[in-house]
């Protein structure tokens, strides 16, 4: 065994709430655990295949060149006060080559964190490698997880899955079973990891996983509700397998808090236009309730998502408590910027007047409208314009490209002011910066709309010419929802509206928005994204979410090829 006692535990990191207390092998450590820390698999320990102790299995997230976040959860029914947790990381799945071991002191496992463990093992792994990890608690070993670190130096190829929008109440996670089996390292999750609903309103006939929130309400009202929802989602065996097999990079969108969430700068509190705290007379639209709701949503996200984010426990304001926008460098091939478009955004425009007033509203053009806030926006622009990577990729939540009813390029009405069409000054500022600084190979990944969209990005969408390279910036690739209701579900619930309707819808969108190459809101699933030095491949998979069948057929919806040298998207057969 090449590992020495001095390297069992170093100052390995922290939970993402407060610093972890860890220790080297102490004189009072049980010989069983001493063997485990040395890399052995002790006799008398059993693997928790049924999830009785590690009830939500294990997961990894936010890779770096020398580390990763490791995550697990202890079933409260199996919690033993004063009992430590141990972790072991190896370069092989038999754990014959252990590279890191640690003891997490019992004081760090508590109801205060809802028995979740987020461990940052930065500085203990090597770049561009695959590792296996497991936890032991008492006499039980967790299922084995697999994690990956980022490469450094020259990298010729990277392949990853892209996912979003996984409402659990209205669909099955069959897509995640297929993702678990993909030959990839990383999964990019663009938000709506949970939905705040006990039942997705308007889709009662599709409910397959109804929830009973501790508050008794239909939407999350407090920390207990959010924690309950995360636990219900994380119990799904298909999601567990995907998170065991791949390292996730996750941001959030609105439903991790509430529908169409924003920040009400006038009252300095959370804005949630459809939540009972805003609409129900029982609560009186009290700003303190709303501030606490944001804090509760942030805390639950930190507990249940494996992510290396900045947390200031002493801060009272939402902006200072949690900062989750961050970047990842995949060797010299790709720089990825994951943004947060909900914490700092201003209110969606053109919603407060009558229908006639809103038709003439042009507030979406104002410079005061922000999706990212000026600090995050400057961080993104600086990162994109100074990157030396071959590809510059933005992990974005809501549709960046224009989606409007038009005549000869003149916009008459926008489909969704909650997307970037409601924040056009900021969109143009970012696109202009990318164009003026000659940022090449620019790709935006998007979720939110429960639709598969492939689109060109422009500075000026009034210019309908897709061959005007002075106006083209890059491409936007939107992955369909894992399970959340899409337009077909909205139009006709469980009845297939047919290929004619789909063709008319797709064609109508493209006629009004010629920069959009493809539009389909009648499928669910995920996408695979492969980057090479000079091209990318975007493959969208259609996976049935209506039946509980993890092995349901994986169908290729469409596959696109993009070569930045001519900025041209080509559909492949």
């Amino acid at each position: 065994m090449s590992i020495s006692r001095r390297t069992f535990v170093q100052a390995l990191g922290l939970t993402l709430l407060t610093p972890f207390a860890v220790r080297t092998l102490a004189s009072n450590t049980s010989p069983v655990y001493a063997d485990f820390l040395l890399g052995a698999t002790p006799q008398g320990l059993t693997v928790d295949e049924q999830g009785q102790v590690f009830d939500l299995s294990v997961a990894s997230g936010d890779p770096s060149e020398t580390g990763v976040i490791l995550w697990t959860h202890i079933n409260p029914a199996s919690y033993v006060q004063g009992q430590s947790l141990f972790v072991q990381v190896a370069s092989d799945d038999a754990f014959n080559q252990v590279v890191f071991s640690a003891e997490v002191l019992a004081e760090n496992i508590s109801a205060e964190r809802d028995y979740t463990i987020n461990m940052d093992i930065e500085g203990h792994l090597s770049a561009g490698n695959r590792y296996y990890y497991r936890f032991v608690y008492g006499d039980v070993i967790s299922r084995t997880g697999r994690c990956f670190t980022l490469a450094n130096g020259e990298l010729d190829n990277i392949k990853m899955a892209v996912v979003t929008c996984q409402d659990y109440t209205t669909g099955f996670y069959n897509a995640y079973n297929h993702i678990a089996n993909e030959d990839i390292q990383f999964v990019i999750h663009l938000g709506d990891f949970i939905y705040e609903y006990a039942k997705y309103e308007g889709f009662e006939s599709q409910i397959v996983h109804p929830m009973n929130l501790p508050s008794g309400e239909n939407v999350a009202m407090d920390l207990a509700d959010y924690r309950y929802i995360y636990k219900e989602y994380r119990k799904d065996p298909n999601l567990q397998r995907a998170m065991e097999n791949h390292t996730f990079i996750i941001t959030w969108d609105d439903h991790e808090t509430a529908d169409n969430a924003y920040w009400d700068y006038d009252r300095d509190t959370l804005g949630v236009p459809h939540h009972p705290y805003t609409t129900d007379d029982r609560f009186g639209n009290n700003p303190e309730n709303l501030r606490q709701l944001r804090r509760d949503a942030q805390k639950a996200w930190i507990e249940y998502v494996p992510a290396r984010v900045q947390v200031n426990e002493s801060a009272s304001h939402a902006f200072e408590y949690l900062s989750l926008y961050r970047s990842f460098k995949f060797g010299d091939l790709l720089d990825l910027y994951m943004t947060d478009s909900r914490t700092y955004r201003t209110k969606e425009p053109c919603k407060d007047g009558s229908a006639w007033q809103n038709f003439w509203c042009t507030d979406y053009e104002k410079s005061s409208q922000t999706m990212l806030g000026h600090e995050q926006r400057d961080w993104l622009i600086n990162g994109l314009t100074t990157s030396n990577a071959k590809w510059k990729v933005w992990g974005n939540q809501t549709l960046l490209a224009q989606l409007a009813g038009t005549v000869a390029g003149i916009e008459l009405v926008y489909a969704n002011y909650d997307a970037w069409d409601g924040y056009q000054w900021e969109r143009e500022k970012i696109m202009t910066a990318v164009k003026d600084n000659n940022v090449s190979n620019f790709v935006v990944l998007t979720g939110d709309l429960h639709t598969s969209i492939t689109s060109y990005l422009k500075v000026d969408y009034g210019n309908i010419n897709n061959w005007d390279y002075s106006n083209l910036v890059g491409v936007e690739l939107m992955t369909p929802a894992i399970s959340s209701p899409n337009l077909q579900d909205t139009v006709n619930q469980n009845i297939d509206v047919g290929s004619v309707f789909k063709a008319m819808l797709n064609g109508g969108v493209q006629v009004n928005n010629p920069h959009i190459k493809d539009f389909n809101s009648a499928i669910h699933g995920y996408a695979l994204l492969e980057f090479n030095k000079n091209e990318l491949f975007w493959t969208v998979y259609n996976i049935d979410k209506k039946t509980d069948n993890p092995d349901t057929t994986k169908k290729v919806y469409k596959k696109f090829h993009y070569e930045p040298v001519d900025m041209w998207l080509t559909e492949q057969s």
Side-chain angles (χ1 to χ4, degrees):
M1 193 70 62
S2 61
I3 189 169
S4 73
R5 285 178 181 265
R6 288 191 302 252
T7 58
F8 291 159
V9 179
Q10 300 172 21
L12 69 103
L14 39 90
T15 66
L16 299 182
L17 293 176
T18 55
F20 242 96
V22 295
R23 65 183 181 190
T24 55
L25 188 64
S27 59
N28 60 351
T29 299
S30 163
V32 171
Y33 299 128
D35 289 343
F36 183 83
L37 287 169
L38 281 166
T41 301
Q43 298 296 317
L45 300 187
T46 58
V47 178
D48 191 20
E49 293 291 355
Q50 303 304 314
Q52 294 179 338
V53 175
F54 299 96
D55 56 343
L56 307 181
S57 194
V58 299
S60 67
D62 276 25
S64 70
E65 292 181 5
T66 61
V68 71
I69 303 294
L70 300 182
W71 183 94
T72 194
H73 178 263
I74 303 299
N75 185 345
S78 300
Y79 170 71
V80 178
Q81 188 171 0
Q83 184 164 280
S84 295
L85 174 74
F86 297 84
V87 64
Q88 191 180 63
V89 183
S91 57
D92 66 306
D93 58 3
F95 290 85
N96 292 321
Q97 298 296 323
V98 173
V99 298
F100 176 78
S101 298
E103 177 181 2
V104 179
L105 300 185
E107 64 200 59
N108 295 287
I109 309 167
S110 67
E112 172 62 25
R113 298 184 180 90
D114 207 27
Y115 306 99
T116 60
I117 303 295
N118 267 293
M119 296 181 63
D120 188 353
I121 59 171
E122 176 66 28
H124 294 277
L125 306 179
S126 298
N129 284 322
R130 175 181 61 194
Y131 293 94
Y132 299 87
Y133 64 95
R134 58 188 180 180
F135 297 89
V136 63
Y137 190 70
D139 59 357
V140 176
I141 300 177
S142 72
R143 297 204 291 265
T144 296
R146 184 177 63 171
C147 63
F148 300 86
T149 53
L150 299 179
N152 57 20
E154 187 172 349
L155 184 64
D156 293 327
N157 176 274
I158 187 72
K159 190 175 183 181
M160 58 191 70
V162 184
V163 299
T164 191
C165 300
Q166 55 189 54
D167 176 61
Y168 197 48
T169 68
T170 57
F172 295 98
Y173 283 177
N174 299 324
Y176 271 124
N177 185 56
H178 289 285
I179 291 171
N181 295 324
E182 292 284 4
D183 183 18
I184 57 175
Q185 297 173 333
F186 306 104
V187 177
I188 310 300
H189 198 300
L190 297 168
D192 291 344
F193 189 93
I194 65 163
Y195 280 68
E196 77 276 23
Y197 305 131
K199 296 179 182 179
Y200 203 120
E201 291 185 351
F203 294 89
E204 283 75 13
S205 67
Q206 295 187 29
I207 301 299
V208 297
H209 295 119
M211 298 190 187
N212 297 298
L213 302 184
S215 67
E217 300 285 344
N218 190 50
V219 297
M221 304 294 286
D222 54 27
L223 180 59
D225 283 348
Y226 286 119
R227 285 171 165 173
Y228 168 85
I229 294 170
Y230 277 105
K231 282 181 278 197
E232 290 299 301
Y233 278 52
R234 294 293 299 267
K235 287 177 184 176
D236 184 85
N238 300 305
L239 177 58
Q240 287 183 6
R241 286 193 63 233
M243 298 194 82
E244 290 166 3
N245 285 354
H246 311 304
T247 295
F248 275 59
I249 299 173
I250 306 176
T251 188
W252 72 355
D253 198 10
D254 54 340
H255 288 288
E256 283 87 350
T257 303
D259 187 30
N260 286 16
Y262 65 95
W263 193 256
D264 184 342
Y265 284 86
D266 291 337
R267 300 202 306 160
D268 197 27
T269 193
L270 175 69
V272 278
H274 311 300
H275 193 278
Y277 281 150
T278 302
T279 62
D280 195 320
D281 290 340
R282 289 179 296 165
F283 306 108
N285 197 16
N286 187 325
E288 287 300 325
N289 287 341
L290 293 164
R291 291 187 192 105
Q292 187 61 48
L293 187 69
R294 170 60 91 191
R295 183 63 165 250
D296 291 343
Q298 289 176 317
K299 182 173 172 60
W301 190 91
I302 294 164
E303 290 172 344
Y304 281 91
V305 171
R308 184 183 291 106
V309 293
Q310 298 177 39
V311 178
N312 180 0
E313 283 291 342
S314 64
S316 59
H317 197 282
F319 292 4
E320 298 167 353
Y321 174 63
L322 170 65
S323 176
L324 61 81
Y325 59 90
R326 58 212 193 275
S327 63
F328 302 85
K329 189 171 187 64
F330 297 77
D332 65 345
L333 184 63
L334 186 153
D335 283 347
L336 170 65
Y337 301 88
M338 297 290 283
T339 55
D340 168 9
S341 65
R342 289 295 170 181
T343 297
Y344 316 102
R345 74 151 66 194
T346 51
K347 186 178 182 179
E348 178 183 353
C350 304
K351 290 293 184 180
D352 292 334
S354 65
W356 183 249
Q357 289 172 320
N358 289 337
F359 180 80
W360 294 105
C361 172
T362 58
D363 289 349
Y364 50 80
E365 298 176 345
K366 292 182 177 179
S367 61
S368 58
Q369 283 294 109
T370 180
M371 183 85 77
L372 303 177
H374 71 275
E375 289 186 9
Q376 182 180 194
R377 181 181 66 235
D378 291 348
W379 168 85
L380 175 64
I381 290 174
N382 182 66
L384 292 172
T385 57
T386 61
S387 171
N388 294 318
K390 184 71 175 181
W391 296 90
K392 297 84 178 174
V393 182
W394 175 9
N396 161 64
Q397 287 73 66
T398 56
L399 183 65
L400 184 64
Q402 177 181 282
L403 184 60
T406 66
V407 174
I410 301 173
E411 302 86 2
L412 299 179
V413 62
Y414 294 99
N416 183 12
Y417 289 117
D418 185 60
W420 280 93
D421 280 336
Y423 304 80
Q424 294 186 26
W425 179 89
E426 187 169 57
R427 174 174 65 187
E428 185 174 345
K429 182 176 179 66
I430 298 170
M431 296 300 97
T432 300
V434 170
K435 193 65 181 177
D436 289 350
N437 286 276
N438 298 312
V439 176
S440 60
N441 301 15
F442 177 56
V443 177
V444 175
L445 306 177
T446 301
D448 179 66
L449 202 56
H450 311 174
T451 299
S452 175
I453 298 178
T454 306
S455 175
Y456 295 107
L457 292 171
K458 299 179 176 182
V459 175
D460 177 15
Y461 288 97
N463 179 350
I464 63 175
N465 183 0
N466 287 340
W467 292 270
D468 184 353
Y469 294 103
S470 67
N471 191 40
L472 291 178
V473 180
V475 291
E476 181 172 21
L477 308 172
M478 178 183 285
T479 183
I482 289 284
S483 56
S484 302
N486 56 28
L487 188 56
Q488 175 177 301
D489 296 325
T490 303
V491 171
N492 208 356
Q493 293 259 349
N494 292 312
I495 300 174
D496 192 322
V497 296
S499 58
V500 174
F501 171 82
K502 297 172 192 174
M504 290 175 60
L505 177 61
N506 193 15
V509 167
Q510 291 175 293
V511 167
N512 283 272
N513 303 271
H515 51 279
I516 293 180
K517 180 79 172 179
D518 186 70
F519 181 102
N520 190 317
S521 193
I523 63 173
H524 293 89
Y526 64 99
L528 288 186
L529 179 58
E530 181 177 1
F531 290 96
N532 298 319
K533 288 290 188 181
N534 299 308
E535 59 188 350
L536 70 76
F537 295 93
W538 173 254
T539 306
V540 179
Y541 292 99
N542 181 11
I543 312 291
D544 172 55
K545 64 122 182 188
K546 294 180 180 179
T547 58
D548 186 9
N549 179 13
D551 296 319
T552 186
T553 303
K554 180 177 74 172
K555 302 176 182 177
V556 175
Y557 162 61
K558 283 187 178 179
K559 184 173 184 177
F560 290 93
H561 173 250
Y562 178 64
E563 289 190 60
V565 65
D566 58 9
M567 299 189 75
W568 198 245
L569 275 165
T570 305
E571 183 179 340
Q572 296 190 313
S573 58

